[in-house]
Amino acid sequence: MAKTAQADQADQDQTEQVAGGEAAGGEATASSGSGSGSQELLIKEGDVAADYLERLLDVLDYDGDLDIDVEAGRAVVSVDGGEDLARLVGDRGAGLEALQELTRLAVQQATGTRSRLMLDVAGWRVARRAELAELGKQTAQDVLNTGEPVRLRPMTPFERKVVHDAVAGIRGVFSESEGEDPRRRVVVFPRT
């Protein structure tokens, strides 16, 4: 089954809903980023997340500076500074994804609403976004040169969305996702 970048964003949002917790009735809780997501609530989410992460860093005896921001309707917390922080990122960001989910759960417990908070540690997510955008552009160029579709390795919803966005900016190609998670991948096709 093929999906577009918008469908991958929906997949990412759905993954975040499931990971963010379910209500007793089995339905995902309301997102603080949709409708009721006021600026004040997003700032509170960032503050709660920063407190949680600060306590974690103290327990681990890791140094790090926390930065809180609000971007695109979600709280964004960045942890930078200490040399030990790369350990929190883990292999291909797996540790970062797990820590983000734990932080979202801490925010949900404190605020009563599901959080779409984005966490970055040691600039990994920013660097990964740039790397994936370049991969999308280079793959699109390869498809334009050869006229043959290219299937990329399986990626997370976040990674697929970045690649889809990069490919969308190149004329003469388009991208779709195929497969099922965790083996879901982006395929770049020539436009005919």
Side-chain angles (χ1 to χ4, degrees), residues 41-156:
L41 179 58
L42 294 175
I43 291 169
K44 181 178 180 182
E45 285 184 10
D47 289 340
V48 170
D51 290 343
Y52 173 79
L53 292 165
E54 196 169 292
R55 287 192 310 271
L56 176 69
L57 292 174
D58 285 345
V59 167
L60 295 172
D61 197 27
Y62 285 6
D63 290 325
D65 298 318
L66 290 115
D67 182 47
I68 305 166
D69 202 358
V70 174
E71 297 174 7
R74 68 170 60 187
V76 178
V77 179
S78 300
V79 184
D80 292 303
E83 294 177 19
D84 295 322
L85 294 178
R87 293 179 188 171
L88 294 177
V89 173
D91 183 39
R92 293 187 55 218
L96 173 58
E97 292 297 325
L99 182 57
Q100 178 174 276
E101 291 308 315
L102 289 172
T103 305
R104 286 176 174 175
L105 289 172
V107 169
Q108 179 178 340
Q109 185 177 25
T111 64
T113 58
R114 189 185 67 78
S115 175
R116 293 180 57 236
L117 176 127
M118 183 67 73
L119 175 64
D120 194 8
V121 174
W124 186 86
R125 205 176 288 278
V126 170
R128 184 70 177 139
R129 185 182 306 268
E131 179 183 314
L132 289 165
E134 183 58 35
L135 173 65
K137 290 174 187 174
Q138 184 59 54
T139 303
Q141 194 59 51
D142 292 347
V143 169
L144 284 172
N145 292 340
T146 66
E148 297 294 321
V150 173
R151 285 173 172 72
L152 300 174
R153 66 166 180 70
M155 297 179 181
T156 66

